[in-house]
Amino acid sequence: MRLTIAEDSVLLREGLVGIFTRFGFEVVAAVGNADELLHAVARDVPDVVVVDVRMPPDFRDEGLRAAIRLRADHPGLGILVLSQVVEETAAGELLEAGTRGVGYLLKDRIGAIIPFVEAVRTVAGGGTVIDPDVVRQLLVHRRAHDPLDALSPREREVLALVAEGRSNSAIAQRLYVSEAAVAKHVTSVYTKLDLGQHADDHRRVLAALTFLRSR
């Protein structure tokens, strides 16, 4: 699997190169700012990009803007964005640019190396990975007219776990219920959020996105 890294901290960047190389990735480029990232991907498109939200010169959202541009130029490219803190707007904008092959994790997660590497593999394979802390914070700051108001407490609990990227089997184990019960709750969530008759995997991502957009 081929990977490009964009991180302005030299120590962290080199650390990531070492980690991914050890786990069998081919690191095709490791750069320190958003412009270098865009040029690197233009030269050699990888399977997945790992990029920091805030990068030189202003350390605002340069990495995020580069990620959104890359999704537009290369729709099949996996993008995993790293952030020092929960940035709700950044997470929402990234997902609005496309819901397949997208991840948003806090840098604290890098300390758990194996789950972090698996998250990158998931994104590279077209999956969606959202940091649980982002999910929880967005739940606390739901909008006044929240579409989730129609959901029961159990349905919200199931949807929160769906938004964390958990499968029905994993949710069943977490909540100590059957997979059939989880499937019933998920179907009810689709209905109450008016997600129509899309393919189940697409509706699952749309449901998670609705959850993340809620304040």
Side-chain angles (χ1 to χ4, degrees):
M1 190 174 295
R2 306 174 73 253
L3 176 144
T4 293
I5 298 168
E7 166 59 53
D8 61 280
S9 168
V10 176
L11 289 178
L12 180 53
R13 184 169 69 242
E14 293 304 312
L16 290 174
V17 170
I19 288 171
F20 287 115
T21 299
R22 176 154 56 94
F23 279 87
F25 288 79
E26 178 188 351
V27 179
V28 296
V31 301
N33 62 59
D35 287 340
E36 290 177 350
L37 171 61
L38 294 174
H39 290 312
V41 174
R43 289 193 305 268
D44 192 355
V45 181
D47 298 304
V48 60
V49 168
V50 175
V51 54
D52 191 0
V53 168
R54 299 183 180 185
M55 302 192 75
D58 297 323
F59 294 96
R60 292 179 180 173
D61 60 356
E62 291 85 352
L64 173 67
R65 296 298 160 202
I68 292 172
R69 178 173 170 182
L70 288 175
R71 288 310 302 267
D73 293 342
H74 309 281
L77 176 64
I79 302 285
L80 177 63
V81 170
L82 299 178
S83 180
Q84 192 69 43
V85 297
V86 176
E87 300 187 47
E88 299 171 27
T89 300
E93 289 187 29
L94 178 65
L95 288 167
E96 286 172 0
T99 55
R100 287 186 57 82
V102 170
Y104 185 100
L105 291 178
L106 297 182
K107 286 187 175 181
D108 289 348
R109 304 293 173 192
I110 298 176
I113 293 176
I114 293 179
F116 174 56
V117 171
E118 287 306 310
V120 174
R121 293 190 191 279
T122 296
V123 170
T128 303
V129 177
I130 305 297
D131 195 288
D133 285 349
V134 176
V135 172
R136 282 190 285 270
Q137 182 157 321
L138 290 174
L139 179 60
V140 170
H141 299 288
R142 295 180 309 163
R143 293 171 183 163
H145 301 290
D146 192 340
L148 304 189
D149 285 343
L151 304 184
S152 70
R154 177 61 92 180
E155 288 166 348
R156 290 185 188 182
E157 192 173 13
V158 169
L159 180 55
L161 294 170
V162 167
E164 290 182 13
R166 298 177 187 270
S167 66
N168 281 6
S169 176
I171 294 171
Q173 293 178 22
R174 176 73 174 269
L175 300 180
Y176 301 103
V177 298
S178 68
E179 285 190 51
V182 172
K184 182 178 179 180
H185 287 310
V186 170
T187 299
S188 180
V189 168
Y190 294 159
T191 300
K192 291 181 177 180
L193 296 182
D194 194 24
L195 295 181
Q197 298 298 317
H198 306 284
D200 280 346
D201 58 344
H202 185 50
R203 287 198 293 178
R204 199 174 185 90
V205 172
L206 289 176
L209 183 55
T210 300
F211 178 87
L212 292 171
R213 284 172 171 168
S214 297
R215 297 293 190 267

